[in-house]
C-alpha cells in the first residue's frame, strides 16, 4: 500500500515537472502560428470567400483652421479574421488571446481617401508602420486600435459666420487596393457615425473646441461602387457631418459660441 502511494506521488511530481508554464505555452503557440506565416499575403482562404473587415473611428481631438481644413486625431477600430492565426486553446494551456506587434500580422491597407496630408505622422504611414500591439483571438479574429492623425478639406466654399457657423465636412476611408471580392468591408459595431467616447474623455483645457452638430451622420456611410473598367465592387466608409466651434481663445481669454447648436447624440 505504501509503495502504491509513493508511485502516485511520484507520478504527480513528474507531471508537475514536465508541465509547461503559461509563458512556455504562449511561446510555443507563437512559434506554431508564425513559423510559416506570410504577413504580406491577404488571408483569403478560398476563392470567393472575402476577408471580413469591420472598421470605424472614434474621434479624440479635432480642430478647424480658417482655411477650412479639419485636423483630427482618432482611434481606429479595425477587426478582421485571419484563419491562419486560429488555434485550439486546450492545446496551449487554455491561452485564448495573444497580444502581437501590429507589424507582425497582415492588416488591411486602409487609406484616408480625401486626406490632404500623407507623410510621416499621418494616417497612411501610421497604418503602414503599425507600431502598436494587435489583439489576436483563438478564433483568428484580429483587433487593431491605432491612434490615427488625419487632415481633410471641408466642403463649405464661403464659410459663412466664421468662426461660429457649422460647416460641412467628411472623412472617407477604405482599402487602397482590395476590392469587395477580396475584403468585405462593414461598419464597426454597425454604427453609422464616428463615435465620440474618446472625445468625451477630455475635460477642461484639454477638451476639443469642436463638436459634431445634430445635423451630422444622416446617411449610411457604407458605399459600394462599380466602375466601367471592372466587374468587382469597391467599398468605402464615407462619413458626412457638420462641425461647429464651441469656444475659441482670444487675447481676452475664452470666448464661447453665441449660437451653438445641439451636439450629435450617439445611439
Amino acid at each position: 500500500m505504501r509503495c502504491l502511494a509513493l508511485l502516485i506521488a511520484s507520478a504527480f511530481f513528474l507531471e508537475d515537472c514536465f508541465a509547461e508554464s503559461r509563458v512556455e505555452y504562449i511561446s510555443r503557440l507563437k512559434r506554431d502560428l508564425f513559423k510559416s506565416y506570410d504577413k504580406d499575403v491577404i488571408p483569403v482562404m478560398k476563392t470567393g470567400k472575402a476577408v471580413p473587415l469591420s472598421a470605424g473611428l472614434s474621434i479624440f481631438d479635432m480642430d478647424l483652421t480658417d482655411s477650412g481644413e479639419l485636423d483630427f486625431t482618432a482611434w481606429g477600430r479595425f477587426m478582421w479574421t485571419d484563419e491562419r492565426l486560429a488555434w485550439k486553446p486546450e492545446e496551449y494551456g487554455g491561452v485564448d488571446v495573444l497580444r502581437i506587434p501590429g507589424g507582425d500580422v497582415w492588416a488591411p491597407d486602409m487609406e484616408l481617401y480625401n486626406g490632404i496630408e500623407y507623410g510621416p505622422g499621418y494616417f497612411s504611414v501610421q497604418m503602414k508602420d503599425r507600431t502598436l500591439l494587435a489583439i489576436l483571438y483563438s478564433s483568428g479574429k484580429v483587433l487593431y486600435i491605432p491612434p490615427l492623425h488625419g487632415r481633410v478639406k471641408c466642403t463649405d466654399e464661403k464659410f459663412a459666420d466664421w468662426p461660429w457657423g457649422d460647416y460641412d465636412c467628411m472623412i472617407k476611408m477604405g482599402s487602397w487596393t482590395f476590392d469587395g471580392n477580396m475584403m468585405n468591408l462593414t461598419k464597426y459595431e454597425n454604427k453609422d457615425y464616428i463615435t465620440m467616447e474618446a472625445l468625451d474623455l477630455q475635460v477642461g483645457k484639454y477638451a476639443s473646441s469642436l463638436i459634431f452638430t445634430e445635423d451630422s451622420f444622416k446617411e449610411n456611410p457604407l458605399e459600394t461602387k462599380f466602375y466601367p473598367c471592372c466587374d468587382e465592387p469597391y467599398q468605402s466608409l464615407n462619413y458626412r457631418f457638420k462641425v461647429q466651434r464651441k469656444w475659441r481663445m482670444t487675447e481676452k481669454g475664452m470666448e464661447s459660441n453665441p449660437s451653438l447648436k445641439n451636439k450629435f447624440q450617439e445611439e
Side-chain angles (χ1 to χ4, degrees):
M1 192 69 178
R2 183 177 299 176
C3 292
L4 178 60
L6 288 173
L7 287 173
I8 293 174
S10 299
F12 280 114
F13 175 77
L14 290 173
E15 183 178 349
D16 289 339
C17 288
F18 289 104
E20 292 179 275
S21 68
R22 181 175 174 82
V23 171
E24 291 171 324
Y25 278 126
I26 291 175
S27 296
R28 178 163 62 86
L29 173 57
K30 290 175 64 177
R31 288 195 300 270
D32 291 347
L33 290 177
F34 290 98
K35 61 185 176 184
S36 59
Y37 183 81
D38 190 340
K39 66 180 181 180
D40 295 324
V41 177
I42 184 172
V44 175
M45 308 308 290
K46 297 179 181 178
T47 301
K49 185 180 179 182
V51 175
L53 165 69
S54 61
L57 293 173
S58 180
I59 286 289
F60 181 75
D61 186 58
M62 54 183 175
D63 192 23
L64 188 65
T65 69
D66 56 9
S67 59
E69 295 177 0
L70 180 71
D71 191 277
F72 69 89
T73 300
W75 296 344
R77 299 281 196 268
F78 304 103
M79 178 172 277
W80 64 92
T81 299
D82 189 335
E83 294 182 17
R84 300 171 297 177
L85 297 177
W87 73 90
K88 296 179 179 180
E90 61 270 20
E91 296 179 0
Y92 297 92
V95 174
D96 58 1
V97 63
L98 292 177
R99 287 156 181 84
I100 299 294
D104 289 350
V105 297
W106 177 89
D109 59 341
M110 297 296 286
E111 185 56 83
L112 184 62
Y113 288 168
N114 61 325
I116 56 176
E117 291 284 354
Y118 288 89
Y122 283 89
F123 196 107
S124 296
V125 175
Q126 290 168 328
M127 282 300 296
K128 181 180 179 181
D129 289 348
R130 302 197 304 282
T131 57
L132 299 181
L133 295 179
I135 300 176
L136 174 59
Y137 299 95
S138 60
S139 62
K141 287 187 179 296
V142 183
L143 177 63
Y144 189 52
I145 306 179
L148 298 169
H149 180 207
R151 181 174 292 179
V152 298
K153 191 79 172 179
C154 293
T155 56
D156 283 272
E157 295 181 0
K158 297 181 179 180
F159 276 81
D161 301 322
W162 178 263
W164 302 125
D166 56 323
Y167 308 109
D168 290 304
C169 303
M170 73 176 199
I171 293 175
K172 185 174 184 178
M173 65 178 184
S175 170
W176 194 246
T177 62
F178 295 114
D179 59 67
N181 293 333
M182 297 286 286
M183 192 167 69
N184 181 36
L185 180 63
T186 59
K187 297 170 290 188
Y188 190 81
E189 295 183 338
N190 201 36
K191 292 180 177 178
D192 289 337
Y193 50 87
I194 296 172
T195 65
M196 295 172 288
E197 66 261 30
L199 188 66
D200 291 339
L201 290 176
Q202 302 183 75
V203 295
K205 65 180 181 179
Y206 300 106
S208 174
S209 62
L210 295 185
I211 62 167
F212 296 130
T213 73
E214 59 189 347
D215 298 318
S216 300
F217 308 113
K218 297 293 187 180
E219 303 173 14
N220 185 346
L222 184 60
E223 298 179 345
T224 301
K225 292 186 176 181
F226 292 85
Y227 296 94
C229 67
C230 318
D231 294 330
E232 60 271 13
Y234 288 86
Q235 298 177 296
S236 62
L237 289 169
N238 190 0
Y239 298 102
R240 298 177 176 87
F241 52 88
K242 286 180 176 287
V243 295
Q244 188 178 30
R245 189 176 300 280
K246 294 188 295 184
W247 52 265
R248 67 173 178 173
M249 296 301 298
T250 68
E251 294 180 354
K252 298 180 180 180
M254 181 182 290
E255 182 181 2
S256 299
N257 190 333
S259 55
L260 187 64
K261 291 190 173 183
N262 292 327
K263 184 174 72 171
F264 173 77
Q265 298 296 322
E266 300 184 24
E267 296 177 357

